[in-house]
Amino acid sequence: MNHNTPLSPRPLQHLDDCRQRVLSAAQLKAYGVNSAALNEQCRPGGPWQQLLPGVYLLHPGPPTADERLHAVLLYAGRPQTRAAGVPAQVTHGEPHAPQATPQAPYANAMITGLAALALHRFASAPPLLSLDRIDVMVPRTRRLRSTGFARLVRGHGMPTPQRISGVPVAPVPRALADAVAQLSEAGAVRRLLTEAVRGGHCEPAAVVRELNEARLLTRPHVIDAVDSLLAEGRAIAEDRMYEMVREYGLPDPLWNVDLRLPGGPHLGGVDAYWPDQAVAVELDTRSPRQGLRPELQEESDGLEWSEYARKREHLERLGITVVHITPRKLRESLEQQATVVRTALMASVDREPAAYVMVLPH
């Protein structure tokens, strides 16, 4: 007997001891379980049960949270075994059942919505076992329907999933948008969005962009939550700027001021300004405009960036150095941003003196 010699179907008792307690009909068939045997095992009071169409739990009693997640992904992804319908084969003298393709065990399916946020450890998301439905994202081309505790979400462009304990999970901004789509209670929406920012899961602009893509910014309770989110995000970014100045020994700037030419036009507001060195720091907290159609968002981003660029060019023509910082850079590389600001301050001694500008409270 060589390593490729098929064996007869494996006894069903082996499956009861298998670590994989949730299997699809195709996987069971690969183990040698035919329809008659499957029906016998799933009889009322039997040792197995059907969780979703084509997905079976190999023990009685309620499924665990992990088993429910696995069942939803199996239903939505329908993974193909290495040799579906072919009996188990010998490897190094021991029988092994065919395994799901490791590169894509659930095809393109991924957990999203509240279940994904629970996996991302959101305290404001309900526990997995308390969810009546588990949202699972699939490409638009899939023809499956929502059923049982599996609710299918058609992806408007599939993101790259993150792996959490082996489970493919939608990134936080996308999971938030899918969760908010199912929520009508303003407090629940606000708590989720606030935790996303306070917990450092993502930046406000990324959340708002996904909400805009999902056309959720026309709902009043979502708009109110987004307003709070943006204010929260800016406050957190400003706190990190204060920390940057304090922790890395930068000279104290003038915070949140407007610049104006004497007797001339308003030059714009900046978040921090060192008048002796003529260095300004500006936080980029741009976000998609509420209610704007996604197809026009790119144009809006370009226009808003043009406004930033025009103000920066105007200030630099006057001899003022403008350091552009995003909340994400402050979160991920605070020391590096402090070095950038310090370098700009030190370089001021080698520049021509800047034009005199008036500094006014913002």
Side-chain angles (χ1 to χ4, degrees):
M1 178 182 297
N2 62 39
H3 289 178
N4 294 319
T5 303
L7 299 177
S8 59
R10 307 183 69 181
L12 296 182
Q13 289 81 358
H14 173 81
L15 293 177
D16 290 332
D17 296 331
C18 186
R19 291 176 61 191
Q20 192 84 315
R21 308 304 294 270
V22 180
L23 293 175
S24 68
Q27 289 170 319
L28 287 167
K29 186 178 180 181
Y31 274 107
V33 180
N34 59 31
S35 297
L38 184 55
N39 290 335
E40 172 63 20
Q41 294 295 109
C42 293
R43 70 188 184 281
W48 297 357
Q49 54 185 304
Q50 182 173 347
L51 292 181
L52 294 167
V55 181
Y56 299 88
L57 178 65
L58 307 190
H59 67 75
T64 66
D66 287 342
E67 288 168 344
R68 294 178 85 224
L69 289 171
H70 186 49
V72 166
L73 288 165
L74 278 179
Y75 171 70
R78 296 291 173 89
Q80 297 297 311
T81 58
R82 195 167 55 229
V86 177
Q89 298 180 346
V90 172
T91 303
H92 301 299
E94 295 293 333
H96 291 278
Q99 299 297 313
T101 304
Q103 293 84 355
Y106 305 116
N108 289 325
M110 69 187 78
I111 301 298
T112 189
L114 288 173
L117 297 179
L119 290 168
H120 282 292
R121 300 187 181 277
F122 270 61
S124 52
L128 285 170
L129 278 177
S130 70
L131 295 174
D132 294 330
R133 311 286 290 275
I134 294 176
D135 292 331
V136 57
M137 191 189 310
V138 296
R140 289 185 179 274
T141 54
R142 294 305 305 274
R143 296 184 178 179
L144 289 173
R145 295 181 179 180
S146 298
T147 185
F149 56 86
R151 178 165 51 206
L152 270 66
V153 176
R154 307 290 175 181
H156 54 273
M158 299 290 288
T160 301
Q162 299 177 8
R163 292 275 170 176
I164 301 178
S165 299
V167 176
V169 181
V172 168
R174 186 62 170 274
L176 276 170
D178 290 333
V180 168
Q182 304 296 332
L183 296 174
S184 58
E185 204 270 302
V189 173
R190 187 178 298 108
R191 285 190 294 273
L192 288 173
L193 299 189
T194 299
E195 184 175 354
V197 175
R198 286 184 182 174
H201 293 282
C202 56
E203 300 301 333
V207 177
V208 179
R209 186 170 293 107
E210 288 290 349
L211 293 174
N212 192 52
E213 287 284 339
R215 290 178 166 82
L216 296 173
L217 294 181
T218 58
R219 303 182 184 184
H221 69 286
V222 177
I223 293 175
D224 291 343
V226 166
D227 287 340
S228 299
L229 172 76
L230 296 177
E232 179 85 14
R234 169 162 276 279
I236 290 174
E238 289 177 346
D239 285 343
R240 288 179 179 141
M241 282 185 59
Y242 301 149
E243 179 186 354
M244 176 185 72
V245 169
R246 182 178 64 253
E247 293 296 323
Y248 296 99
L250 297 175
D252 289 331
L254 301 175
W255 295 105
N256 295 315
V257 294
D258 281 324
L259 304 181
R260 182 185 297 273
L261 287 172
H266 176 245
L267 300 173
V270 294
D271 295 279
Y273 185 61
W274 288 263
D276 292 342
Q277 294 84 6
V279 172
V281 167
E282 189 165 24
L283 271 174
D284 180 3
T285 56
R286 290 175 298 144
S287 63
R289 298 182 183 178
Q290 296 179 12
L292 190 65
R293 297 199 310 275
E295 57 268 26
L296 298 180
Q297 187 57 54
E298 184 175 349
E299 179 182 352
S300 172
D301 286 344
L303 290 173
E304 194 168 359
W305 175 251
S306 295
E307 294 174 6
Y308 268 79
R310 279 196 297 270
K311 180 170 73 173
R312 178 172 183 167
E313 289 172 1
H314 193 177
L315 291 175
E316 291 186 341
R317 282 198 301 269
L318 296 172
I320 297 172
T321 298
V322 181
V323 179
H324 187 262
I325 296 180
T326 64
R328 180 175 180 178
K329 289 179 180 178
L330 287 171
R331 175 166 59 91
E332 296 180 353
S333 56
L334 192 62
E335 183 176 4
Q336 181 180 352
Q337 302 315 304
T339 300
V340 171
V341 173
R342 181 179 289 106
T343 300
L345 293 172
M346 293 172 62
S348 66
V349 297
D350 297 324
R351 298 196 312 265
E352 292 293 327
Y356 176 75
V357 297
M358 298 175 62
V359 181
L360 305 173
H362 190 46

mmCIF file with all atom_site columns, all heavy atoms in Angstrom, residues 275-296:
data_model
loop_
_atom_site.group_PDB
_atom_site.id
_atom_site.type_symbol
_atom_site.label_atom_id
_atom_site.label_alt_id
_atom_site.label_comp_id
_atom_site.label_asym_id
_atom_site.label_entity_id
_atom_site.label_seq_id
_atom_site.pdbx_PDB_ins_code
_atom_site.Cartn_x
_atom_site.Cartn_y
_atom_site.Cartn_z
_atom_site.occupancy
_atom_site.B_iso_or_equiv
_atom_site.pdbx_formal_charge
_atom_site.auth_seq_id
_atom_site.auth_comp_id
_atom_site.auth_asym_id
_atom_site.auth_atom_id
_atom_site.pdbx_PDB_model_num
ATOM 1   N N   . PRO A 1 275 ? 5.937   81.747 17.433 1.00 0.00 ? 275 PRO A N   1
ATOM 2   C CA  . PRO A 1 275 ? 6.173   83.020 16.730 1.00 0.00 ? 275 PRO A CA  1
ATOM 3   C C   . PRO A 1 275 ? 7.653   83.361 16.569 1.00 0.00 ? 275 PRO A C   1
ATOM 4   O O   . PRO A 1 275 ? 8.038   83.934 15.543 1.00 0.00 ? 275 PRO A O   1
ATOM 5   C CB  . PRO A 1 275 ? 5.461   84.058 17.614 1.00 0.00 ? 275 PRO A CB  1
ATOM 6   C CG  . PRO A 1 275 ? 5.289   83.398 18.945 1.00 0.00 ? 275 PRO A CG  1
ATOM 7   C CD  . PRO A 1 275 ? 5.168   81.945 18.687 1.00 0.00 ? 275 PRO A CD  1
ATOM 8   N N   . ASP A 1 276 ? 8.498   83.025 17.549 1.00 0.00 ? 276 ASP A N   1
ATOM 9   C CA  . ASP A 1 276 ? 9.924   83.374 17.431 1.00 0.00 ? 276 ASP A CA  1
ATOM 10  C C   . ASP A 1 276 ? 10.594  82.615 16.288 1.00 0.00 ? 276 ASP A C   1
ATOM 11  O O   . ASP A 1 276 ? 11.526  83.119 15.658 1.00 0.00 ? 276 ASP A O   1
ATOM 12  C CB  . ASP A 1 276 ? 10.654  83.069 18.742 1.00 0.00 ? 276 ASP A CB  1
ATOM 13  C CG  . ASP A 1 276 ? 10.225  83.994 19.866 1.00 0.00 ? 276 ASP A CG  1
ATOM 14  O OD1 . ASP A 1 276 ? 9.650   85.060 19.561 1.00 0.00 ? 276 ASP A OD1 1
ATOM 15  O OD2 . ASP A 1 276 ? 10.446  83.646 21.040 1.00 0.00 ? 276 ASP A OD2 1
ATOM 16  N N   . GLN A 1 277 ? 10.139  81.405 16.020 1.00 0.00 ? 277 GLN A N   1
ATOM 17  C CA  . GLN A 1 277 ? 10.722  80.599 14.944 1.00 0.00 ? 277 GLN A CA  1
ATOM 18  C C   . GLN A 1 277 ? 9.862   80.600 13.684 1.00 0.00 ? 277 GLN A C   1
ATOM 19  O O   . GLN A 1 277 ? 10.265  80.048 12.662 1.00 0.00 ? 277 GLN A O   1
ATOM 20  C CB  . GLN A 1 277 ? 10.916  79.149 15.409 1.00 0.00 ? 277 GLN A CB  1
ATOM 21  C CG  . GLN A 1 277 ? 11.932  78.969 16.521 1.00 0.00 ? 277 GLN A CG  1
ATOM 22  C CD  . GLN A 1 277 ? 11.324  79.212 17.913 1.00 0.00 ? 277 GLN A CD  1
ATOM 23  O OE1 . GLN A 1 277 ? 10.108  79.404 18.049 1.00 0.00 ? 277 GLN A OE1 1
ATOM 24  N NE2 . GLN A 1 277 ? 12.168  79.224 18.930 1.00 0.00 ? 277 GLN A NE2 1
ATOM 25  N N   . ALA A 1 278 ? 8.668   81.207 13.746 1.00 0.00 ? 278 ALA A N   1
ATOM 26  C CA  . ALA A 1 278 ? 7.730   81.236 12.615 1.00 0.00 ? 278 ALA A CA  1
ATOM 27  C C   . ALA A 1 278 ? 7.448   79.813 12.106 1.00 0.00 ? 278 ALA A C   1
ATOM 28  O O   . ALA A 1 278 ? 7.565   79.514 10.916 1.00 0.00 ? 278 ALA A O   1
ATOM 29  C CB  . ALA A 1 278 ? 8.255   82.121 11.486 1.00 0.00 ? 278 ALA A CB  1
ATOM 30  N N   . VAL A 1 279 ? 7.084   78.935 13.041 1.00 0.00 ? 279 VAL A N   1
ATOM 31  C CA  . VAL A 1 279 ? 6.736   77.547 12.718 1.00 0.00 ? 279 VAL A CA  1
ATOM 32  C C   . VAL A 1 279 ? 5.310   77.291 13.188 1.00 0.00 ? 279 VAL A C   1
ATOM 33  O O   . VAL A 1 279 ? 4.952   77.619 14.333 1.00 0.00 ? 279 VAL A O   1
ATOM 34  C CB  . VAL A 1 279 ? 7.703   76.547 13.378 1.00 0.00 ? 279 VAL A CB  1
ATOM 35  C CG1 . VAL A 1 279 ? 7.207   75.105 13.194 1.00 0.00 ? 279 VAL A CG1 1
ATOM 36  C CG2 . VAL A 1 279 ? 9.105   76.701 12.803 1.00 0.00 ? 279 VAL A CG2 1
ATOM 37  N N   . ALA A 1 280 ? 4.492   76.729 12.306 1.00 0.00 ? 280 ALA A N   1
ATOM 38  C CA  . ALA A 1 280 ? 3.110   76.397 12.630 1.00 0.00 ? 280 ALA A CA  1
ATOM 39  C C   . ALA A 1 280 ? 2.879   74.900 12.441 1.00 0.00 ? 280 ALA A C   1
ATOM 40  O O   . ALA A 1 280 ? 3.495   74.266 11.580 1.00 0.00 ? 280 ALA A O   1
ATOM 41  C CB  . ALA A 1 280 ? 2.148   77.184 11.740 1.00 0.00 ? 280 ALA A CB  1
ATOM 42  N N   . VAL A 1 281 ? 2.020   74.332 13.268 1.00 0.00 ? 281 VAL A N   1
ATOM 43  C CA  . VAL A 1 281 ? 1.591   72.934 13.119 1.00 0.00 ? 281 VAL A CA  1
ATOM 44  C C   . VAL A 1 281 ? 0.100   72.920 12.841 1.00 0.00 ? 281 VAL A C   1
ATOM 45  O O   . VAL A 1 281 ? -0.677  73.611 13.513 1.00 0.00 ? 281 VAL A O   1
ATOM 46  C CB  . VAL A 1 281 ? 1.908   72.100 14.378 1.00 0.00 ? 281 VAL A CB  1
ATOM 47  C CG1 . VAL A 1 281 ? 1.184   70.757 14.331 1.00 0.00 ? 281 VAL A CG1 1
ATOM 48  C CG2 . VAL A 1 281 ? 3.401   71.866 14.505 1.00 0.00 ? 281 VAL A CG2 1
ATOM 49  N N   . GLU A 1 282 ? -0.267  72.139 11.845 1.00 0.00 ? 282 GLU A N   1
ATOM 50  C CA  . GLU A 1 282 ? -1.678  72.031 11.497 1.00 0.00 ? 282 GLU A CA  1
ATOM 51  C C   . GLU A 1 282 ? -2.090  70.566 11.502 1.00 0.00 ? 282 GLU A C   1
ATOM 52  O O   . GLU A 1 282 ? -1.443  69.713 10.886 1.00 0.00 ? 282 GLU A O   1
ATOM 53  C CB  . GLU A 1 282 ? -1.931  72.635 10.109 1.00 0.00 ? 282 GLU A CB  1
ATOM 54  C CG  . GLU A 1 282 ? -3.389  72.747 9.780  1.00 0.00 ? 282 GLU A CG  1
ATOM 55  C CD  . GLU A 1 282 ? -3.642  73.668 8.594  1.00 0.00 ? 282 GLU A CD  1
ATOM 56  O OE1 . GLU A 1 282 ? -2.714  73.835 7.774  1.00 0.00 ? 282 GLU A OE1 1
ATOM 57  O OE2 . GLU A 1 282 ? -4.744  74.208 8.496  1.00 0.00 ? 282 GLU A OE2 1
ATOM 58  N N   . LEU A 1 283 ? -3.163  70.280 12.239 1.00 0.00 ? 283 LEU A N   1
ATOM 59  C CA  . LEU A 1 283 ? -3.724  68.933 12.290 1.00 0.00 ? 283 LEU A CA  1
ATOM 60  C C   . LEU A 1 283 ? -4.632  68.725 11.087 1.00 0.00 ? 283 LEU A C   1
ATOM 61  O O   . LEU A 1 283 ? -5.505  69.549 10.803 1.00 0.00 ? 283 LEU A O   1
ATOM 62  C CB  . LEU A 1 283 ? -4.556  68.751 13.570 1.00 0.00 ? 283 LEU A CB  1
ATOM 63  C CG  . LEU A 1 283 ? -3.838  68.261 14.818 1.00 0.00 ? 283 LEU A CG  1
ATOM 64  C CD1 . LEU A 1 283 ? -4.811  68.297 16.002 1.00 0.00 ? 283 LEU A CD1 1
ATOM 65  C CD2 . LEU A 1 283 ? -3.317  66.852 14.625 1.00 0.00 ? 283 LEU A CD2 1
ATOM 66  N N   . ASP A 1 284 ? -4.447  67.603 10.410 1.00 0.00 ? 284 ASP A N   1
ATOM 67  C CA  . ASP A 1 284 ? -5.319  67.258 9.285  1.00 0.00 ? 284 ASP A CA  1
ATOM 68  C C   . ASP A 1 284 ? -6.397  66.312 9.795  1.00 0.00 ? 284 ASP A C   1
ATOM 69  O O   . ASP A 1 284 ? -6.183  65.119 9.954  1.00 0.00 ? 284 ASP A O   1
ATOM 70  C CB  . ASP A 1 284 ? -4.509  66.582 8.177  1.00 0.00 ? 284 ASP A CB  1
ATOM 71  C CG  . ASP A 1 284 ? -5.377  66.201 6.979  1.00 0.00 ? 284 ASP A CG  1
ATOM 72  O OD1 . ASP A 1 284 ? -6.588  66.527 7.001  1.00 0.00 ? 284 ASP A OD1 1
ATOM 73  O OD2 . ASP A 1 284 ? -4.862  65.586 6.045  1.00 0.00 ? 284 ASP A OD2 1
ATOM 74  N N   . THR A 1 285 ? -7.554  66.865 10.097 1.00 0.00 ? 285 THR A N   1
ATOM 75  C CA  . THR A 1 285 ? -8.678  66.052 10.561 1.00 0.00 ? 285 THR A CA  1
ATOM 76  C C   . THR A 1 285 ? -9.805  66.070 9.541  1.00 0.00 ? 285 THR A C   1
ATOM 77  O O   . THR A 1 285 ? -10.980 65.978 9.882  1.00 0.00 ? 285 THR A O   1
ATOM 78  C CB  . THR A 1 285 ? -9.195  66.554 11.919 1.00 0.00 ? 285 THR A CB  1
ATOM 79  O OG1 . THR A 1 285 ? -9.532  67.947 11.802 1.00 0.00 ? 285 THR A OG1 1
ATOM 80  C CG2 . THR A 1 285 ? -8.144  66.384 13.000 1.00 0.00 ? 285 THR A CG2 1
ATOM 81  N N   . ARG A 1 286 ? -9.430  66.166 8.292  1.00 0.00 ? 286 ARG A N   1
ATOM 82  C CA  . ARG A 1 286 ? -10.455 66.151 7.246  1.00 0.00 ? 286 ARG A CA  1
ATOM 83  C C   . ARG A 1 286 ? -11.224 64.850 7.284  1.00 0.00 ? 286 ARG A C   1
ATOM 84  O O   . ARG A 1 286 ? -10.704 63.795 7.595  1.00 0.00 ? 286 ARG A O   1
ATOM 85  C CB  . ARG A 1 286 ? -9.811  66.305 5.863  1.00 0.00 ? 286 ARG A CB  1
ATOM 86  C CG  . ARG A 1 286 ? -9.223  67.664 5.580  1.00 0.00 ? 286 ARG A CG  1
ATOM 87  C CD  . ARG A 1 286 ? -8.504  67.649 4.247  1.00 0.00 ? 286 ARG A CD  1
ATOM 88  N NE  . ARG A 1 286 ? -7.390  66.696 4.274  1.00 0.00 ? 286 ARG A NE  1
ATOM 89  C CZ  . ARG A 1 286 ? -7.020  65.959 3.237  1.00 0.00 ? 286 ARG A CZ  1
ATOM 90  N NH1 . ARG A 1 286 ? -7.677  66.036 2.097  1.00 0.00 ? 286 ARG A NH1 1
ATOM 91  N NH2 . ARG A 1 286 ? -5.996  65.144 3.333  1.00 0.00 ? 286 ARG A NH2 1
ATOM 92  N N   . SER A 1 287 ? -12.493 64.922 6.929  1.00 0.00 ? 287 SER A N   1
ATOM 93  C CA  . SER A 1 287 ? -13.339 63.730 6.847  1.00 0.00 ? 287 SER A CA  1
ATOM 94  C C   . SER A 1 287 ? -14.326 63.923 5.718  1.00 0.00 ? 287 SER A C   1
ATOM 95  O O   . SER A 1 287 ? -14.583 65.049 5.293  1.00 0.00 ? 287 SER A O   1
ATOM 96  C CB  . SER A 1 287 ? -14.091 63.503 8.158  1.00 0.00 ? 287 SER A CB  1
ATOM 97  O OG  . SER A 1 287 ? -14.966 64.593 8.415  1.00 0.00 ? 287 SER A OG  1
ATOM 98  N N   . PRO A 1 288 ? -14.929 62.839 5.208  1.00 0.00 ? 288 PRO A N   1
ATOM 99  C CA  . PRO A 1 288 ? -15.927 62.993 4.150  1.00 0.00 ? 288 PRO A CA  1
ATOM 100 C C   . PRO A 1 288 ? -17.072 63.887 4.593  1.00 0.00 ? 288 PRO A C   1
ATOM 101 O O   . PRO A 1 288 ? -17.480 63.872 5.749  1.00 0.00 ? 288 PRO A O   1
ATOM 102 C CB  . PRO A 1 288 ? -16.412 61.555 3.923  1.00 0.00 ? 288 PRO A CB  1
ATOM 103 C CG  . PRO A 1 288 ? -15.282 60.705 4.369  1.00 0.00 ? 288 PRO A CG  1
ATOM 104 C CD  . PRO A 1 288 ? -14.665 61.446 5.516  1.00 0.00 ? 288 PRO A CD  1
ATOM 105 N N   . ARG A 1 289 ? -17.584 64.651 3.678  1.00 0.00 ? 289 ARG A N   1
ATOM 106 C CA  . ARG A 1 289 ? -18.687 65.544 4.010  1.00 0.00 ? 289 ARG A CA  1
ATOM 107 C C   . ARG A 1 289 ? -19.970 64.760 4.145  1.00 0.00 ? 289 ARG A C   1
ATOM 108 O O   . ARG A 1 289 ? -20.293 63.916 3.329  1.00 0.00 ? 289 ARG A O   1
ATOM 109 C CB  . ARG A 1 289 ? -18.828 66.625 2.935  1.00 0.00 ? 289 ARG A CB  1
ATOM 110 C CG  . ARG A 1 289 ? -17.583 67.494 2.854  1.00 0.00 ? 289 ARG A CG  1
ATOM 111 C CD  . ARG A 1 289 ? -17.725 68.600 1.818  1.00 0.00 ? 289 ARG A CD  1
ATOM 112 N NE  . ARG A 1 289 ? -16.496 69.359 1.717  1.00 0.00 ? 289 ARG A NE  1
ATOM 113 C CZ  . ARG A 1 289 ? -16.321 70.355 0.879  1.00 0.00 ? 289 ARG A CZ  1
ATOM 114 N NH1 . ARG A 1 289 ? -17.292 70.710 0.046  1.00 0.00 ? 289 ARG A NH1 1
ATOM 115 N NH2 . ARG A 1 289 ? -15.180 71.004 0.845  1.00 0.00 ? 289 ARG A NH2 1
ATOM 116 N N   . GLN A 1 290 ? -20.702 65.050 5.204  1.00 0.00 ? 290 GLN A N   1
ATOM 117 C CA  . GLN A 1 290 ? -21.899 64.286 5.501  1.00 0.00 ? 290 GLN A CA  1
ATOM 118 C C   . GLN A 1 290 ? -22.924 64.419 4.389  1.00 0.00 ? 290 GLN A C   1
ATOM 119 O O   . GLN A 1 290 ? -23.242 65.506 3.925  1.00 0.00 ? 290 GLN A O   1
ATOM 120 C CB  . GLN A 1 290 ? -22.486 64.753 6.830  1.00 0.00 ? 290 GLN A CB  1
ATOM 121 C CG  . GLN A 1 290 ? -21.556 64.497 8.005  1.00 0.00 ? 290 GLN A CG  1
ATOM 122 C CD  . GLN A 1 290 ? -22.129 64.993 9.306  1.00 0.00 ? 290 GLN A CD  1
ATOM 123 O OE1 . GLN A 1 290 ? -23.303 65.330 9.382  1.00 0.00 ? 290 GLN A OE1 1
ATOM 124 N NE2 . GLN A 1 290 ? -21.313 65.036 10.335 1.00 0.00 ? 290 GLN A NE2 1
ATOM 125 N N   . GLY A 1 291 ? -23.465 63.245 4.000  1.00 0.00 ? 291 GLY A N   1
ATOM 126 C CA  . GLY A 1 291 ? -24.520 63.220 2.997  1.00 0.00 ? 291 GLY A CA  1
ATOM 127 C C   . GLY A 1 291 ? -24.028 63.270 1.577  1.00 0.00 ? 291 GLY A C   1
ATOM 128 O O   . GLY A 1 291 ? -24.827 63.194 0.643  1.00 0.00 ? 291 GLY A O   1
ATOM 129 N N   . LEU A 1 292 ? -22.722 63.393 1.381  1.00 0.00 ? 292 LEU A N   1
ATOM 130 C CA  . LEU A 1 292 ? -22.206 63.495 0.022  1.00 0.00 ? 292 LEU A CA  1
ATOM 131 C C   . LEU A 1 292 ? -22.234 62.129 -0.648 1.00 0.00 ? 292 LEU A C   1
ATOM 132 O O   . LEU A 1 292 ? -21.873 61.126 -0.041 1.00 0.00 ? 292 LEU A O   1
ATOM 133 C CB  . LEU A 1 292 ? -20.770 64.017 0.054  1.00 0.00 ? 292 LEU A CB  1
ATOM 134 C CG  . LEU A 1 292 ? -20.150 64.423 -1.292 1.00 0.00 ? 292 LEU A CG  1
ATOM 135 C CD1 . LEU A 1 292 ? -20.892 65.601 -1.878 1.00 0.00 ? 292 LEU A CD1 1
ATOM 136 C CD2 . LEU A 1 292 ? -18.678 64.737 -1.112 1.00 0.00 ? 292 LEU A CD2 1
ATOM 137 N N   . ARG A 1 293 ? -22.668 62.080 -1.896 1.00 0.00 ? 293 ARG A N   1
ATOM 138 C CA  . ARG A 1 293 ? -22.702 60.815 -2.614 1.00 0.00 ? 293 ARG A CA  1
ATOM 139 C C   . ARG A 1 293 ? -21.285 60.291 -2.775 1.00 0.00 ? 293 ARG A C   1
ATOM 140 O O   . ARG A 1 293 ? -20.346 61.046 -3.064 1.00 0.00 ? 293 ARG A O   1
ATOM 141 C CB  . ARG A 1 293 ? -23.352 60.985 -3.988 1.00 0.00 ? 293 ARG A CB  1
ATOM 142 C CG  . ARG A 1 293 ? -24.802 61.416 -3.934 1.00 0.00 ? 293 ARG A CG  1
ATOM 143 C CD  . ARG A 1 293 ? -25.507 61.109 -5.250 1.00 0.00 ? 293 ARG A CD  1
ATOM 144 N NE  . ARG A 1 293 ? -24.795 61.593 -6.406 1.00 0.00 ? 293 ARG A NE  1
ATOM 145 C CZ  . ARG A 1 293 ? -24.902 62.834 -6.891 1.00 0.00 ? 293 ARG A CZ  1
ATOM 146 N NH1 . ARG A 1 293 ? -25.678 63.711 -6.285 1.00 0.00 ? 293 ARG A NH1 1
ATOM 147 N NH2 . ARG A 1 293 ? -24.221 63.200 -7.969 1.00 0.00 ? 293 ARG A NH2 1
ATOM 148 N N   . PRO A 1 294 ? -21.095 58.957 -2.582 1.00 0.00 ? 294 PRO A N   1
ATOM 149 C CA  . PRO A 1 294 ? -19.734 58.399 -2.652 1.00 0.00 ? 294 PRO A CA  1
ATOM 150 C C   . PRO A 1 294 ? -19.011 58.733 -3.945 1.00 0.00 ? 294 PRO A C   1
ATOM 151 O O   . PRO A 1 294 ? -17.803 58.949 -3.941 1.00 0.00 ? 294 PRO A O   1
ATOM 152 C CB  . PRO A 1 294 ? -19.981 56.888 -2.517 1.00 0.00 ? 294 PRO A CB  1
ATOM 153 C CG  . PRO A 1 294 ? -21.263 56.785 -1.756 1.00 0.00 ? 294 PRO A CG  1
ATOM 154 C CD  . PRO A 1 294 ? -22.098 57.953 -2.215 1.00 0.00 ? 294 PRO A CD  1
ATOM 155 N N   . GLU A 1 295 ? -19.756 58.779 -5.049 1.00 0.00 ? 295 GLU A N   1
ATOM 156 C CA  . GLU A 1 295 ? -19.081 59.035 -6.319 1.00 0.00 ? 295 GLU A CA  1
ATOM 157 C C   . GLU A 1 295 ? -18.519 60.445 -6.405 1.00 0.00 ? 295 GLU A C   1
ATOM 158 O O   . GLU A 1 295 ? -17.663 60.733 -7.247 1.00 0.00 ? 295 GLU A O   1
ATOM 159 C CB  . GLU A 1 295 ? -20.035 58.779 -7.491 1.00 0.00 ? 295 GLU A CB  1
ATOM 160 C CG  . GLU A 1 295 ? -21.323 59.585 -7.455 1.00 0.00 ? 295 GLU A CG  1
ATOM 161 C CD  . GLU A 1 295 ? -22.440 58.848 -6.744 1.00 0.00 ? 295 GLU A CD  1
ATOM 162 O OE1 . GLU A 1 295 ? -22.143 57.997 -5.895 1.00 0.00 ? 295 GLU A OE1 1
ATOM 163 O OE2 . GLU A 1 295 ? -23.611 59.123 -7.051 1.00 0.00 ? 295 GLU A OE2 1
ATOM 164 N N   . LEU A 1 296 ? -18.991 61.358 -5.521 1.00 0.00 ? 296 LEU A N   1
ATOM 165 C CA  . LEU A 1 296 ? -18.467 62.722 -5.511 1.00 0.00 ? 296 LEU A CA  1
ATOM 166 C C   . LEU A 1 296 ? -17.436 62.939 -4.401 1.00 0.00 ? 296 LEU A C   1
ATOM 167 O O   . LEU A 1 296 ? -16.865 64.028 -4.296 1.00 0.00 ? 296 LEU A O   1
ATOM 168 C CB  . LEU A 1 296 ? -19.608 63.730 -5.326 1.00 0.00 ? 296 LEU A CB  1
ATOM 169 C CG  . LEU A 1 296 ? -20.683 63.755 -6.428 1.00 0.00 ? 296 LEU A CG  1
ATOM 170 C CD1 . LEU A 1 296 ? -21.742 64.791 -6.102 1.00 0.00 ? 296 LEU A CD1 1
ATOM 171 C CD2 . LEU A 1 296 ? -20.060 64.026 -7.787 1.00 0.00 ? 296 LEU A CD2 1
#
